[in-house]
Amino acid sequence: MSRDEAAQRVTHHQRILTELRDHITTGEWPPGFQLPFETQLAESHGVSRMTMNKVLAQLTREGFLVRRRKLGTFVARPRAQAAVMEIADIEAEVAALGFDWRFDLLERSLRLPLHGEIEAARIVDASLPVLALRGVHHAGGLPFCHEIRIINPEAAPGAAEVDFRRAAPGAWLLREIPWSSAEHHIRAVPATGLVARDLGLAAGCACLEVTRRTEASGQWVTLAIQTYPGDRHQLVAQFGPGGTDESA
């Protein structure tokens, strides 16, 4: 291959790369959009299939595309970065990604805590009711995070009267209830049951589950289990020399 031919190939590569990336970043190709097949793209852009394959591979490495064997190439869904030791405001996370946020409240009840909740939240008096909520956060119209949460009405006065169809519970708690300590438990889990259904995932798909307990003045405030599709979320921690990582 001559130097001129190599330069022309690079030019084609960069031109198509920029064009496809712009389709995605401007929203013309929304998350979940299926691209034409590789051969069709190559023909429409006047390049070889090899050149188009390299463009798609680069956009996949950059996180813009997801390639599914035998299914095709799709625009990747939003992928958030949350600090391990922070309490994230999911609405702010989604906004930072450049997508519209929505929270759908699916269940709400005032009930006694379940056995697993008593242990995880370290509830002292299990005879007192908790406010139980289940909902889904959306980013750009697509399910982003499934949330199951219980709130201690004694530690969060007024929570039982809040219309959480209009305000996400996590954001309301961060704004209204000062907290003194929090802990996170993070693990990989398969999508099952309601979580799989509400996130629109096939059973068994990899997910990231973050269980968060917060308290104020020694009294538990809330226990939240937030589940993200594994390909849409990552956790990041920053620390310096001599620092310790206390996450669990």
Side-chain angles (χ1 to χ4, degrees):
M1 181 188 300
S2 69
R3 182 175 300 178
D4 288 342
E5 288 174 329
Q8 186 178 34
R9 177 169 293 185
V10 170
T11 300
H12 285 323
H13 178 93
Q14 290 299 331
R15 172 178 59 81
I16 298 168
L17 187 69
T18 300
E19 182 179 330
L20 299 191
R21 193 188 285 123
D22 286 346
H23 283 317
I24 298 169
T25 57
T26 61
E28 182 181 348
W29 289 355
F33 174 83
Q34 184 173 7
L35 276 67
F37 289 112
E38 187 177 289
T39 52
Q40 294 174 306
L41 285 170
E43 182 178 349
S44 65
H45 286 82
V47 296
S48 68
R49 184 174 178 180
M50 180 181 296
T51 297
M52 183 56 66
N53 181 272
K54 290 181 178 180
V55 170
L56 297 178
Q58 181 170 340
L59 289 172
T60 300
R61 289 193 300 271
E62 293 176 359
F64 288 101
L65 299 176
V66 176
R67 308 186 80 178
R68 306 291 189 193
R69 187 178 180 185
K70 296 183 179 181
L71 293 178
T73 303
F74 301 83
V75 175
R77 294 180 177 181
R79 186 176 185 183
Q81 286 193 163
V84 174
M85 300 305 290
E86 293 180 355
I87 296 181
D89 179 346
I90 295 179
E91 180 178 359
E93 278 188 75
V94 172
L97 293 168
F99 292 94
D100 293 330
W101 167 89
R102 186 181 85 246
F103 178 71
D104 288 344
L105 181 65
L106 303 176
E107 289 185 12
R108 177 192 180 117
S109 64
L110 199 62
R111 58 164 174 79
L112 294 178
L114 305 177
H115 178 73
E117 295 169 341
I118 296 170
E119 182 178 356
R122 298 196 289 279
I123 297 173
V124 176
D125 190 349
S127 67
L128 298 176
V130 298
L131 178 61
L133 306 166
R134 180 173 69 88
V136 176
H137 298 264
H138 295 261
L142 295 173
F144 180 75
C145 174
H146 181 273
E147 179 174 313
I148 297 174
R149 180 186 296 271
I150 58 171
I151 298 174
N152 180 358
E154 288 198 338
E161 286 73 47
V162 175
D163 183 357
F164 287 116
R165 293 171 299 179
R166 299 179 179 276
W172 183 87
L173 286 166
L174 283 173
R175 184 174 64 250
E176 301 292 336
I177 309 299
W179 58 278
S180 56
S181 66
E183 62 184 59
H184 290 170
H185 294 267
I186 303 163
R187 61 175 186 156
V189 298
T192 59
L194 291 175
V195 174
R197 188 195 71 184
D198 294 341
L199 289 177
L201 300 175
C205 282
C207 292
L208 183 71
E209 181 187 271
V210 180
T211 300
R212 179 183 300 112
R213 176 188 182 274
T214 60
E215 66 175 49
S217 302
Q219 186 179 32
W220 80 277
V221 176
T222 186
L223 176 75
I225 301 175
Q226 295 171 332
T227 307
Y228 299 81
D231 61 352
R232 302 177 213 171
H233 198 75
Q234 60 183 335
L235 293 166
V236 177
Q238 293 183 340
F239 49 91
T244 58
D245 183 359
E246 299 178 353
S247 60

